[in-house]
Amino acid sequence: MTAVLNRLTADDDLFLKLHDLYGNALVNQLAWRFDEPLDPAVLQRFHAHLAHGFLSRRVMTTAVPFARPWWVAAAEAEPLAYQDRPVPEDGVLDWFFAQSRVEFDPVSGRMWRLSAAPTGSGGTLLSLVTSHVSSDGGAVLYAVGDALRRLDADETPDIATSSGRLVGSSSVNVPLRTHLADALGQLRAAAASLRTAYASRDVTEPERNPRPAEPRRLLGDRYTAADLVVEVDAAEWNSVAEAHDGTANGLLVGVAVGIAGRSGRVADGAAVRVDIPHSMRGVDDPRANATTGLPIAVLYRKGEHTDLRGVRTAIKQAARAYADPATTPALQHLQPVQQMLPRFVLGYFSRTAKAPECLCTNLGETGQGVATLAGVRARSVLMRPVVCTGETELFRRLEIGLNLSWSSDGETVTLAITGADPDRFPTRAALREYVLDEFESWGLRPRFWS
């Protein structure tokens, strides 16, 4: 009988190869702020459930050409990092960012870290940083939700009865015929993808704006992206969106485009490419990454609000287009070919690869499903991509732009904003000024985490 393996998807494979090229340049972070203290023993039990759950996976490879790597349960994990020294209220953002400084290893399975610290006001900060190789946002929320439920039920950490059962067999002894069959299947998929890509060769998607060469600031060799966390009353956010004939999601995009324009990243009259992640995750879905991106073009006009009705229409059109292979761009069909490329070939192409110009992630109220830990409810929960400190010239070459992540608990909207262009967002203070001006223009009153 042929073994059924949880093979890496094309997205998993791409993130794995990018990890080899750039290390932990980009990680995801789920962050909690509690007003009450959390018992370290409870956090240890929570960590144990995570260590036996959906995040606990490592990569296995085979020497059979074109056969895909596969996931097995990880035998080890980064230990809980608990800091005894209280974090001052004006150091919360810096503490959260500091948790991203961790070296992950897809081979050993050390691809997530849980950290906690008390605050000066008697609360607790909790951070879960994860590698994009092993999990997208949906996978993290699923793994954490399962761990919290098992913690509340006082169950024993166990792979077989938790979300860890979906990861795959822990056996490394896979019959050769299994890999040969997968290699043949990949060759067939690649051939089919080439035919489909050729058929859709005339389908286009929004182009990104090149990064302006000037001004070029005198900066050091290393750069840390500017990051902010902003809160707004949900009623206020929704009221402003409705007043401009838009949705909460449309206002997220509108604000992002306005900030990009104010920074000088895009010119007056330019069509900004905005990428919107869209989850494809199903019930008991074993995939580490199950997200696609919907690209739309949004016009920026200096001194004017973004057309929210136009944003809503563009998102609907992009969703319909990507649901039909005939209207999906050719490059999207070539994932089986991309997965067969060796790392050195991807490294060659990565010299001209570009990061998203503007990325807008709407998590809705999904974070509320993981807001309560052992009966203690967090004041705030957010998920965000963290762009780690790196070479300044690498940021310029990749042309990383602006990332926004939106979530709400029904009462408060929480926005994580990251500006990663060294010459437009050299400091957190510079980003804050653009955000203040943009929010004020919409009539929004932001409250900043310090």
Side-chain angles (χ1 to χ4, degrees), residues 60-111:
M60 296 295 298
T61 58
T62 174
V64 176
F66 307 132
R68 295 169 296 168
W70 70 101
W71 296 111
V72 298
E76 56 183 289
E78 288 284 335
L80 171 67
Y82 190 86
Q83 174 182 309
D84 293 320
R85 184 178 69 258
V87 177
E89 287 302 307
D90 62 356
V92 169
L93 267 184
D94 288 336
W95 184 87
F96 276 123
F97 181 78
Q99 306 318 302
S100 68
R101 300 189 183 105
V102 56
E103 292 299 321
F104 290 131
D105 180 12
V107 175
S108 70
R110 288 177 173 257
M111 291 193 286

Side-chain angles (χ1 to χ4, degrees), residues 262-273:
R262 290 176 186 277
S263 74
R265 177 58 188 262
V266 294
D268 185 17
V272 183
R273 172 171 169 146

Side-chain angles (χ1 to χ4, degrees), residues 144-161:
V144 171
D146 180 66
L148 291 175
R149 284 190 294 273
R150 295 178 65 83
L151 178 67
D152 288 342
D154 198 26
E155 296 183 9
T156 301
D158 175 51
I159 292 175
T161 58

Side-chain angles (χ1 to χ4, degrees), residues 211-222:
R211 179 180 179 275
E214 299 294 338
R216 183 183 175 91
R217 297 176 182 267
L218 292 175
L219 301 172
D221 293 336
R222 306 279 290 177

Side-chain angles (χ1 to χ4, degrees), residues 130-211:
T130 54
S131 167
H132 221 320
V133 178
S134 63
S135 55
D136 59 12
V140 172
L141 291 171
Y142 174 64
V144 171
D146 180 66
L148 291 175
R149 284 190 294 273
R150 295 178 65 83
L151 178 67
D152 288 342
D154 198 26
E155 296 183 9
T156 301
D158 175 51
I159 292 175
T161 58
S162 72
S163 59
R165 73 188 186 282
L166 300 175
V167 172
S169 170
S170 60
S171 172
V172 297
N173 299 315
V174 179
L176 177 62
R177 66 178 181 277
T178 300
H179 295 311
L180 291 174
D182 187 69
L184 181 58
Q186 283 298 97
L187 288 170
R188 290 170 175 163
S193 73
L194 288 170
R195 292 192 295 270
T196 308
Y198 182 78
S200 62
R201 63 190 181 280
D202 295 327
V203 177
T204 60
E205 61 182 16
E207 295 184 0
R208 67 191 313 284
N209 293 287
R211 179 180 179 275

